[in-house]
Amino acid sequence: MPLLEINNLLKQYAAPDGSTSTIVDVSAFELEPAQQLALRGESGSGKTTFLNLIAGILAPDSGRITIAGDEITTRSEAARDTLRATRLGYVFQTFNLLQGYTALENVELAMMLGRGLDRPFARKLLEQVGLASRLHYRPAQLSVGQQQRVAVARAIANHPQLVLADEPTGNLDATNAQTSLTLLRDLCESNGAALLIVSHDPTVLDQFDDHRDFAEINRASQHAEATT
Amino acid sequence: MTTTVAHPSRLRAVALIVRRSLRRHAFATSVTILASALAAGLVMAVFAIQSQSQRAFTGGNVGFDAVLGARGSKLQLILNSVFHLDESPGNIPWSVYARLKADPRMRFVVPYAVGDNYKGFRIVGTTPNLFDEYRYGDDHSLMFSDKGRSFSPDRREAVIGSFVAARTGLRYGDHFHPSHGISFDDSDDDHDHHAHDEEYVVVGVLEPTNSPIDRVVWIPIDGIFRMGGHVLRADGDVYVPRHGEAIPEDFKEISAVMLKFKAPTIGADLDNVINKEGKEFTLAWPIASVMASLFEKFGWITRVLQLVAYLVVIVSACAILAAVYNTINERRREFAILRALGARKSIVFSAIVIESAAIAAIGAVVGFVFYGVIVGVAASIIRSQTGVVIDVWSYHPALIVAPPGMIILGALAGVIPAIKAYATNVAANLNPHS
């Protein structure tokens, strides 16, 4: 059984001129447990919206998203929050670390909101991403590469079944990008989590045996390309 | 869908979010806490001062059951003779005192004659039995410090209260000249002009009683009669006392007679005879009831003060609202991140409400410092003006009710910012869309 199964997913927004703009229109998409898949997509292609729909941050206008057999699209917002906290990890392009919190607290807070605080595991994760000596540093005291490594550790904190990564290397130099990507993939693999990464960076995409064009999946992108 | 979220863990998350927010906005938080503390301190102080001062003036044992004086206001009579405030309503003949002293229904009777002061402290002429028979509070006797003693009725000797000693510096064996009148103008350079020629020696300093007694200079009543410039009147005739000559009793005048009954029912009997049937004198009885009428008359002042205190509390709640509300815009991304991590809207809402309540709670705790200062200053003023002592830390329900009241109000003040945080658009505040 696929870990992630999507059918006829549609998300539209009202355009400023009053018309309706379709951002995501995916007829079918699947991801197997522990699979690592990269989606190539340009800016504005709707891939962030796609990931937010999978994460339950956004609710689709229609369609079905099933994660490990649970259909989330019919769930309440609070139920989707719980699923996100306990089963999903999310790595953002802009890291989205909480600025007033230390590296350790960023990871611990995710645990508190998810499966419960496991301080030894939080420390172990940060050690695994090379930040054993930076546990009590706040984001502003860390380099961008270190910040993204904290974000990677945080995404794994609740032993997720699925990790979503939205342009995780977009704000990093080549060296830090490679380090973060390797850590993310290794941690997902060692924790048995599937990884769905979206990026427009060929050096990222080329490292995945399994990668696809988001435009192939998203009919809205195809339509947009056809009309431009 | 399985839910493995541990609720205690969520509470820890909320506590961490609140702590970090308070730390990040330390300056605004501190100012708001101070405003809350001032409000909490003020509201507790207003209620406590009102209650304790009323209790001190109406509930304590002032040592006498009733006061007999010239026809007039009972309240003025008590203020003048018990609390040593206000002016005497007039004089009464010595014979009234003599009759009451011989009355077997009286436990003890003391005459008071006022008219002079020493550095603003009342000089009261009385008889030495005051120091033997008077009981205050829980049946305490007046005690002299060190080698002090009662004055001799026919000498220029004085006994002073503890507060007088502390403020004027008078000690055992010191000499002083009384000043004319009951008011004292400290800015008047010509003190000597108002001072009497008679010189008195302090033969006793009383131990503190925490009562108006502490603010009095006691001298023999004969000393008041014979003070230079004083004249005695009776039946229209004027008599000027001469040295070495006994004063005819018909000419002796006093300000009041202080009465202590053998039985409580005597007060009602005298009330009938003196107040209802008689027209010459006034019996102020019972003292506590008469004083209570004073607080009833000025109850509106208390209500105004309470209203002001309530308004300050509301303003402090508004300060909490404004302080927390102003942080919401800058924290939208924080809320979005928390939501992206799986925090329910209710957690974000709770965190803001609890943060507001925490500010109010810390303010309420710090408020006890302000309370202590406000009541301490008020108690000091009341003591210096009346001799009545207010216990700063005496229990009052306001001390129990105000802190949780402030916390509830603080939490309510957090509801509007919490609604704003609750409504944060997660996707729009996370990062640029691609």
Side-chain angles (χ1 to χ4, degrees), chain A residues 29-70:
Chain A
F29 179 82
E30 288 184 357
L31 191 72
E32 298 299 321
Q35 183 186 350
Q36 297 195 350
L37 174 67
L39 294 178
R40 192 188 70 78
E42 299 303 323
S43 294
S45 63
K47 56 188 191 294
T48 296
T49 302
F50 181 59
L51 293 187
N52 284 342
L53 287 166
I54 296 171
I57 291 172
L58 293 174
D61 296 314
S62 63
R64 202 160 60 102
I65 301 173
T66 305
I67 297 176
D70 285 326

Side-chain angles (χ1 to χ4, degrees), chain B residues 310-374:
Chain B
Y310 284 136
L311 287 175
V312 172
V313 168
I314 290 169
V315 168
S316 81
C318 292
I320 293 174
L321 191 157
V324 177
Y325 191 88
N326 284 339
T327 68
I328 299 299
N329 276 343
E330 66 169 84
R331 295 171 67 188
R332 282 184 185 280
R333 189 157 183 228
E334 177 189 342
F335 300 140
I337 294 168
L338 288 168
R339 295 291 324 282
L341 292 174
R344 291 181 178 186
K345 280 184 170 179
S346 58
I347 286 184
V348 173
F349 185 92
S350 307
I352 300 301
V353 170
I354 291 172
E355 182 178 328
S356 300
I359 291 171
I362 298 169
V365 172
V366 179
F368 280 98
V369 175
F370 283 98
Y371 166 81
V373 171
I374 294 169

Side-chain angles (χ1 to χ4, degrees), chain A residues 93-199:
Chain A
Q93 179 181 350
T94 49
F95 321 140
N96 282 335
L97 296 180
L98 293 162
Q99 293 302 309
Y101 302 68
T102 65
L104 185 60
E105 286 172 342
N106 265 280
V107 178
E108 287 180 346
L109 186 60
M111 290 175 161
M112 292 175 197
L113 295 169
R115 295 181 185 275
L117 179 60
D118 182 352
R119 188 160 286 158
F121 185 55
R123 287 175 176 271
K124 182 183 169 191
L125 281 172
L126 287 168
E127 285 167 11
Q128 284 180 313
V129 299
L131 294 174
S133 61
R134 299 285 189 274
L135 297 179
H136 303 292
Y137 282 47
R138 283 196 279 277
Q141 298 167 309
L142 298 169
S143 69
V144 287
Q146 289 170 333
Q147 288 181 46
Q148 188 61 310
R149 282 187 267 157
V150 174
V152 168
R154 184 179 66 182
I156 303 295
N158 285 306
H159 305 284
Q161 294 169 294
L162 171 62
V163 173
L164 306 172
D166 185 4
E167 297 280 10
T169 60
N171 281 11
L172 302 176
D173 59 52
T175 307
N176 277 311
Q178 188 56 52
T179 305
S180 293
L181 187 61
T182 304
L183 284 168
L184 178 61
R185 297 192 69 179
D186 289 350
L187 282 172
C188 283
E189 189 177 344
S190 60
N191 285 277
L195 173 64
L196 178 60
I197 186 168
V198 293
S199 176

Side-chain angles (χ1 to χ4, degrees), chain B residues 84 118 121-122 131 136 141-146 158-172 202 204-218 383-384 386-389:
Chain B
H84 305 286
Y118 178 67
F121 292 101
R122 290 281 176 93
F131 305 107
Y136 68 95
S141 302
L142 292 176
M143 304 291 287
F144 291 97
S145 52
D146 297 334
V159 170
I160 62 174
S162 60
F163 196 75
V164 177
R167 287 299 172 94
T168 63
L170 282 178
R171 295 286 179 270
Y172 176 85
V202 177
V205 177
L206 294 171
E207 294 281 4
T209 64
N210 292 334
S211 75
I213 295 274
D214 296 343
R215 302 182 65 256
V216 178
V217 177
W218 307 94
R383 187 180 178 206
S384 68
T386 68
V388 170
V389 171

Side-chain angles (χ1 to χ4, degrees), chain B residues 131-179:
Chain B
F131 305 107
D132 300 327
E133 299 184 85
Y134 179 79
R135 299 286 183 275
Y136 68 95
D138 296 330
D139 203 32
H140 295 296
S141 302
L142 292 176
M143 304 291 287
F144 291 97
S145 52
D146 297 334
K147 50 192 171 182
R149 59 170 174 80
S150 172
F151 53 67
S152 177
D154 51 2
R155 289 185 186 167
R156 286 177 183 167
E157 293 179 341
V159 170
I160 62 174
S162 60
F163 196 75
V164 177
R167 287 299 172 94
T168 63
L170 282 178
R171 295 286 179 270
Y172 176 85
D174 285 352
H175 291 76
F176 69 95
H177 289 273
S179 296

